[in-house]
Amino acid sequence: MSEEPGDWAPAQFEEHGRELLAVLREHFESIRQVPVTVPSDTGDLSASLLSELPEQGVDFERVLTDTRELVLPYLVHWNHPSFHGYFSNSASFPGVLAETMTAALNVNAMLWKSGPAASALERVVLGWISEMVGYPEDSDSVLVNGASLATLYALAAARDAALGPSVRVEGLAGRDLPVLRLYTSDQAHSSVDKAAITLGFGTANLVKIPSDDQYRMRPDALEAAISADLANGFKPVAVVASVGTTSVGAADPVTAIADVCERNGVWLHVDAAFGGFWRLAPSLADQVEDLSLADSLVVNPHKTLYIPMEASALYCRHRGALADTFRLVAEYLKSAQDEHTVDYMNLTPQLGRSFRALKLWWVIRTFGRAGLAERLEHSVQLANWLREAVAEEPLWRVPVDSIYPLVCLRFEPSGDREVNDWLNAEIVEEVNASGEAFISHTVIDDGYVIRVSIGNIHTTRADVERLWRALREIAARRFAMPRAA
Ligand SMILES: Cc1ncc(COP(=O)(O)O)c(C=O)c1O
């Protein structure tokens, strides 16, 4: 070979970058014509995606065309104004561009020394987030990929704080330890169960505290469960409270729960993955639970703050607790320290870490606190409009309220609960099959319920009105049809 292989020339990189941006521009300019969901019959996607290992490379134009033709039509478009499933999120354009820059620089933010400005920016954005969500700024904090791992790491720190440093050396097995207990509500996210499994508590020692008729953890039941466990010789380690539950957007009463935790010497972790940022919206400023009471906290900028996926912020008020669990410095990672340095590899088990802070820095600086607040308030108002429209419609009901822009609704034309369950499930299926919108469901005391989550940065009042029209039309048609045997 006469030339050394190498990468594209920088000029070619720019040229292809422009081609990609042109494709994305067209995608977003015509986004309302793009189906949100995939056709129900996707066939053998892996085969159609040219799965054979290519021996020779092809032009970028070909890669881009294949991506448009073979991949895009089979994606669920989360960054679409009519995506209302699970929790609607957004990759705002400044965040998307920041991801490109992050990938291009490919900095590893494991040590201060391995990219000082990456670690410094992480500290800056974590400070901004603590200010936005109302958590003490003099806490330890770190960016992680998602709330599930943040909760896992927080509960590892809580476990080790309860057992003392010997657990790092001696482990958990074959020792005369009390049974360790965790507590959360029967509405908590499954990541708490996964943490209990991974950390060796076991699901049998994750006590599910009953919630009230608004799906909020009952502090009196928590107190009773902890008292009973203490009387039986168990060791209560941590409580996980939720601010913005996945099912219906309920918030546990954090102040009362923190009081129970404090009296019993139990660590309080608050999962505010969904609910944390809504206090920025002026109409919710006084309604979101006080997150400052948590021993550890997770909030998810990738859910509600217009940041592309994999950006979650973990906070812990006990300085050094995360490092007590995770700090381990191999010879090849030793570096000089002073009062300005922070080595983020010490706060979680992850060593190689992408430069996540840049996308947060770009998005928060681009919109500003006021711009973020305005956009969050817009979603709140769209959800309020939908809730009111549903409440005024005969045969429709909002069976459970939430302060957040997550609207649960149910079509109830029949006196038979099972028929209503079936109808609501059919409505969800038909909306999703139409490609016009994507919605999801939950099951609560009232039965099968349609969930409409509003939070994408592109969603307008007209989008929500169109969805509400589609829901009513499908409901009326389905109700008129005989039910399949
Ligand atoms: C309340 C709550 N906690 C935790 C999670 C898990 O978040 P992640 O996907 O960032 O791990 C979710 C996901 O939707 C959630 O709704």
Side-chain angles (χ1 to χ4, degrees), residues 6-7 9 39 80 103 105 174 244 260 274 286 342 353 379 388 421 425 453:
D7 199 351
H80 191 294
L105 300 175
V260 174
F274 172 59
D286 303 326
V342 50
R353 310 170 66 249
S379 294
E388 280 163 26
D421 281 352
S453 166

Side-chain angles (χ1 to χ4, degrees), residues 89-422:
N89 60 12
S90 323
S92 62
F93 294 144
V96 175
L97 291 181
E99 286 277 38
T100 306
M101 181 124 193
T102 302
L105 300 175
N106 208 25
V107 167
N108 184 335
M110 58 186 185
L111 297 168
W112 182 271
K113 181 186 167 191
S114 69
S119 298
L121 269 194
E122 185 154 344
R123 184 186 267 163
V124 167
V125 296
L126 284 162
W128 288 349
I129 293 172
S130 64
E131 197 178 325
M132 286 192 269
V133 305
Y135 197 72
E137 281 191 49
D138 58 344
S139 314
D140 282 339
S141 53
V142 58
L143 292 175
V144 298
N145 79 334
S148 301
L149 287 186
T151 291
L152 178 78
Y153 303 154
L155 293 179
R159 181 198 64 188
D160 295 359
L163 291 179
S166 65
V167 67
R168 274 181 67 125
V169 180
E170 294 166 18
L172 294 167
R175 297 169 64 198
D176 190 19
L177 292 174
V179 174
L180 308 178
R181 304 280 268 184
L182 294 173
Y183 309 82
T184 198
S185 94
D186 54 12
Q187 300 295 308
H189 189 264
S190 57
S191 53
V192 184
D193 303 63
K194 284 194 179 181
I197 295 165
T198 311
L199 295 171
F201 289 88
T203 53
N205 294 306
L206 173 60
V207 184
K208 296 284 177 82
I209 305 298
S211 47
D212 65 16
D213 60 359
Q214 292 300 305
Y215 303 95
R216 300 171 298 208
M217 190 198 292
R218 280 180 35 210
D220 60 320
L222 173 67
E223 177 96 59
I226 292 177
S227 300
D229 279 358
L230 286 170
N232 285 320
F234 295 156
K235 187 166 182 58
V237 170
V239 173
V240 181
S242 311
V243 171
T245 60
T246 315
S247 174
V248 300
D252 293 337
V254 172
T255 305
I257 291 170
D259 188 41
V260 174
C261 288
E262 193 174 349
R263 267 187 284 110
N264 291 282
V266 178
W267 181 295
L268 173 60
H269 175 66
V270 173
D271 173 358
F274 172 59
F277 286 104
W278 294 104
R279 74 196 279 274
L280 284 177
S283 67
L284 299 187
D286 303 326
Q287 295 190 57
V288 173
E289 295 293 320
D290 182 357
L291 304 181
S292 73
L293 302 172
D295 293 286
S296 55
L297 168 74
V298 57
V299 294
N300 261 10
H302 75 202
K303 269 193 173 49
T304 46
L305 213 63
Y306 317 115
I307 310 287
M309 280 296 289
E310 305 225 356
S312 195
L314 169 63
Y315 291 86
C316 180
R317 68 161 64 248
H318 304 288
R319 302 299 300 260
L322 287 164
D324 284 348
T325 293
F326 295 117
R327 185 169 189 275
L328 195 148
V329 186
E331 181 56 39
Y332 41 84
L333 295 170
K334 287 185 179 150
S335 59
Q337 304 289 319
D338 64 35
E339 74 273 22
H340 303 298
T341 57
V342 50
D343 290 343
Y344 281 103
M345 72 159 194
N346 290 336
L347 301 188
T348 78
Q350 189 175 2
L351 176 60
R353 310 170 66 249
S354 66
F355 180 12
R356 285 197 182 97
L358 191 72
K359 56 186 173 183
L360 285 142
W361 201 60
W362 280 29
V363 171
I364 299 172
R365 292 198 66 203
T366 300
F367 296 126
R369 195 209 56 79
L372 294 169
E374 188 186 359
R375 286 167 175 81
L376 291 168
E377 181 67 36
H378 182 238
S379 294
V380 171
Q381 294 309 328
L382 291 180
N384 288 345
W385 176 85
L386 179 61
R387 246 182 234 113
E388 280 163 26
V390 175
E392 279 169 16
E393 187 74 16
L395 307 184
W396 284 84
R397 209 160 63 81
V398 176
V400 56
D401 227 346
S402 170
I403 59 167
Y404 306 112
L406 170 63
V407 184
C408 290
L409 53 153
R410 183 168 151 92
F411 182 48
E412 290 187 337
S414 164
D416 185 334
R417 175 185 164 126
E418 212 189 295
V419 170
N420 291 335
D421 281 352
W422 169 79

Side-chain angles (χ1 to χ4, degrees), residues 18 58 87 135 185 238 276 388-389 464 484:
R18 287 180 193 278
V58 294
F87 282 127
Y135 197 72
S185 94
E388 280 163 26
V464 180

